[in-house]
Amino acid sequence: METWLGWPVWKLLGVGVLVVGLARRWPTGPVVLGAGGLTAWLAGMPLVGHQTQPGMLDTLGKAFVENRVITLYLLTLPAVGLAERLGLHTTMGRLMGRLTGVSLARLLIGFQMARVAMGALGLRLQGHVTFGRPIVAPMATAVLPSPAGEGTAKAAVAAAENYGNFFGQNLFPASAGCLLVAGVMKGAGYPVDVVRLALYAIPIVAVSLGVAAVQFVWLERQLGQRPNGTAEHTAVRQDTGHG
């Protein structure tokens, strides 16, 4: 059997499943679990482990227990849902309708910069769930000239959140990303300082902000945003239309 770096190539089929599933926009959870299960099966890992060899269920359970803190965002869902039901979307839309000089691009760039600042301070706000969708998304749709671009505007809000969080978190020396890189480099025999890693992330963050700014300005022009940033589309729709 042909090998790559001493590993049978056919054991990489799980990576192919992952790439195809994400490219076709299948549900992420089942795709990841399916790819992992296929890889484990091809590697000869049993479903349930025993004393000499761990199993798939044992490995998944151990990983969940060790990283269960990531599920804390579930506690915020009832509060966010209640706020939306009581008119959070409507309130944010009306607020943006009263403001002048606020354009879609400025809003998105400002949101991304805020997320970078939060990441640099080590603040974890679970942005998509507790901030992006209930607050920033209705603000973005309120400054559109027509409701036709609402889906695109919401996607841009999610992109700004991803850009800011992904690159901004590396500015915090104690972030998981910096610690992971430092640990891997140390294990490879190249010890590095996490503070220097954070400093090296600054140019990357600056580039990401610049590229995103160009993207958001182009998107604003594509959606027909008025140059002065005044919202033409200020009619506030019911919360049920913002799902």
Side-chain angles (χ1 to χ4, degrees), residues 11-177:
K11 291 184 180 180
L12 296 175
L13 289 177
V15 179
V17 172
L18 184 64
V19 172
V20 172
L22 296 180
R24 297 185 64 86
R25 299 184 179 181
W26 292 340
T28 305
V31 169
V32 173
L33 290 176
L38 176 61
T39 302
W41 177 70
L42 293 175
M45 179 180 289
L47 181 63
V48 180
H50 44 78
Q51 294 181 350
T52 60
Q53 184 180 12
M56 286 187 286
L57 296 181
D58 306 272
T59 303
L60 288 174
K62 181 180 179 181
F64 175 78
V65 171
E66 292 178 349
N67 299 277
R68 60 186 180 276
V69 67
I70 64 176
T71 61
L72 289 178
Y73 79 93
L74 294 174
L75 299 177
T76 66
L77 296 182
V80 173
L82 181 61
E84 291 184 358
R85 185 174 181 83
L86 294 178
L88 179 62
H89 278 152
T90 303
T91 301
M92 300 311 300
R94 287 175 178 169
L95 174 64
M96 294 303 297
R98 297 192 185 106
L99 297 178
T100 59
V102 179
S103 66
L104 178 63
R106 293 172 185 172
L107 175 65
L108 294 174
I109 294 171
F111 177 49
Q112 181 179 344
M113 293 178 66
R115 292 298 286 127
V116 168
M118 293 176 190
L121 295 174
L123 301 178
R124 309 295 294 172
L125 300 181
Q126 301 295 342
H128 286 295
V129 178
T130 62
F131 205 75
R133 180 184 181 277
I135 298 178
V136 184
M139 295 172 69
T141 57
V143 298
L144 294 177
S146 70
E150 286 190 0
T152 303
K154 291 178 181 179
V157 171
E161 158 66 26
N162 288 338
Y163 298 157
N165 180 56
F166 182 82
F167 294 106
Q169 64 179 327
N170 292 328
L171 296 177
F172 185 58
S175 67

